[in-house]
Amino acid sequence: MNNLVVRETGVVVIGAGQAGLSSAYHLRRAGYEPDRDFVVLDHSPRPGGAWQFRWPSLTYGKVHGMHALPGMELTEADGSQPSSAVIGGYFADYEHAFDLRVHRPVDVRAVREGQDGRLTVESSEGLWSARALINATGTWDRPFWPRYPGQETFRGRQLHTAHYPGPQDFAGQRVVVVGGGTSAVQHLLEIAEVAAGTTWVTRRPPVFREAPFDQEWGRAAVARVEERVRQGLPPQSVVSVTGLPMTEAMERARAAGVLAPRPMFDRVTPTGVQWADGSAVDADVILWATGFRAAVDHLAPLKLREPGGGIRMEGTRAARDPRVHLVGYGPSASTIGANRAGRAAVREIRALLGSSQPRVPAAV
């Protein structure tokens, strides 16, 4: 890569999901010109962020808490259509409406210290030199697979939520679903309709919340996640601290015995899973709905991690490097949180860039 031409820009935004598009919008509003003052690099093949990879049976009507991007509402969406199509189309319209000129598919391999106080972004498109970076890579590319004894001996199929194809693939099969979050519950509700049997296994007893998720509860949940990243610990998702919202469909499934969690098994056997007391369940499929981790390995050369394993944050800014902002990380991982964090990151970046920032706001 040393022989490649290095292109200079003010800000590189990595990722074009909710967090990246929100950040790009606020850069445009502040007068920054795409492909001159900033560039958006996205590794996905098309608009839609992680939504484009969601399973077809996750229709838009089932999506929980999707907040509109700044400056453009999502209106007249058909709730019966796959969320991947609805939100993918919305994101594509948004990119066009605000002329964000997203570069894709572009894989960012590493971000390193550059020359003259700049950052060097190594990508499949070449090298970029930037004065500031907004990292909006989310978590979808880092599915978390726990390890249990005997896992490699299982003769059935193992897959993760990231590759969940929808319920039709599990017809007539015995399925163990592992995980205590929203995805695990959604999978169980669908699969139970067609499977020969389902078993739900969770590391911790799931917490169902029947009271409304009001603003006070939401703020308290975000504050708990925020405290972790302030201490340099790996972030928990906001959902993990809010509990599961109880719906009528979940009530019915619980009454039918579908949502009856068992504690985590001790080992995987060739034919299923087994607990320490010797009890066992036979299975054709183990579905790991065990969440995701922040996709930040490309930032490793900057040495931003703390001894606790996470990146310590001050607002959206990495505490170890004021040029680097993480949007959609930790407390800003929700869709509304990503919008607010994008605005906050741009405000700080404008202050950092000082006299080099554009003086005439762009028309957006």
Side-chain angles (χ1 to χ4, degrees):
M1 280 215 171
N2 291 336
N3 297 324
L4 294 180
V5 174
V6 180
R7 286 172 283 184
E8 288 196 356
T9 188
V11 186
V12 169
V13 180
I14 306 176
Q18 183 102 11
L21 293 183
S22 170
S23 300
Y25 168 86
H26 288 293
L27 285 166
R28 285 284 272 135
R29 252 193 112 176
Y32 292 84
E33 180 72 19
D35 287 338
R36 185 192 70 188
D37 304 313
F38 75 94
V39 63
V40 184
L41 308 178
D42 185 40
H43 84 109
S44 297
R46 55 192 176 272
W51 290 100
Q52 66 194 271
F53 305 113
R54 301 294 167 91
W55 50 99
S57 56
L58 181 63
T59 59
Y60 185 67
K62 295 178 184 176
V63 170
H64 180 75
M66 167 68 192
H67 197 274
L69 285 158
M72 185 172 137
E73 292 295 320
L74 172 53
T75 57
E76 300 180 1
D78 184 346
S80 68
Q81 292 300 305
S83 60
S84 56
V86 173
I87 297 174
Y90 170 53
F91 280 19
D93 292 344
Y94 190 87
E95 291 179 16
H96 177 74
F98 296 111
D99 189 26
L100 300 180
R101 306 178 208 174
V102 177
H103 295 221
R104 64 166 60 88
V106 178
D107 292 319
V108 172
R109 295 160 180 156
V111 181
R112 305 181 188 278
E113 187 64 49
Q115 296 181 342
D116 302 321
R118 301 176 72 91
L119 296 164
T120 297
V121 179
E122 299 177 1
S123 79
S124 58
E125 188 181 63
L127 299 178
W128 290 90
S129 174
R131 295 190 62 197
L133 178 84
I134 296 178
N135 191 82
T137 47
T139 62
W140 187 260
D141 297 317
R142 281 202 64 205
F144 174 62
W145 291 75
R147 301 302 304 169
Y148 281 88
Q151 209 163 341
E152 69 287 350
T153 70
F154 183 60
R155 293 198 291 263
R157 181 165 54 127
Q158 297 186 63
L159 71 160
H160 190 276
T161 289
H163 306 108
Y164 176 70
Q168 67 284 347
D169 275 34
F170 305 94
Q173 297 185 317
R174 299 161 298 177
V175 184
V176 173
V177 177
V178 184
T182 304
S183 293
V185 171
Q186 289 175 342
H187 297 336
L188 280 160
L189 294 183
E190 292 188 341
I191 293 170
E193 297 290 327
V194 299
T198 60
T199 302
W200 186 21
V201 179
T202 65
R203 192 161 56 89
R204 285 189 296 267
V207 177
F208 292 97
R209 181 172 170 81
E210 299 188 21
F213 284 82
D214 55 22
Q215 289 187 353
E216 183 179 348
W217 178 265
R219 280 194 296 268
V222 169
R224 289 196 290 274
V225 179
E226 196 167 39
E227 182 57 29
R228 283 184 62 86
V229 299
R230 197 180 292 120
Q231 294 174 8
L233 299 172
Q236 291 176 305
S237 69
V238 174
V239 172
S240 72
V241 295
T242 60
L244 294 164
M246 179 58 71
T247 65
E248 289 184 11
M250 290 163 65
E251 286 276 20
R252 290 194 297 270
R254 192 160 65 168
V258 173
L259 295 185
R262 296 189 62 170
M264 199 63 207
F265 48 76
D266 289 83
R267 63 181 297 102
V268 179
T269 70
T271 58
V273 297
Q274 186 176 65
W275 285 263
D277 63 4
S279 62
V281 167
D282 289 337
D284 303 298
V285 181
I286 301 174
L287 174 54
W288 299 91
T290 43
F292 299 79
R293 299 293 183 265
V296 293
D297 289 352
H298 55 286
L299 301 180
L302 298 178
K303 297 180 169 55
L304 302 177
R305 288 192 186 274
E306 301 292 332
I311 298 174
R312 185 163 61 88
M313 304 293 296
E314 296 172 355
T316 63
R317 185 178 69 249
R320 290 178 179 261
D321 194 328
R323 299 167 298 178
V324 179
H325 288 256
L326 277 68
V327 178
Y329 177 86
S332 64
S334 65
T335 53
I336 189 169
N339 285 359
R340 292 170 177 166
R343 182 173 64 244
V346 170
R347 188 185 308 120
E348 290 210 25
I349 285 172
R350 291 185 69 194
L352 175 74
L353 300 189
S355 60
S356 67
Q357 67 186 20
R359 296 183 182 278
V360 182
V364 295

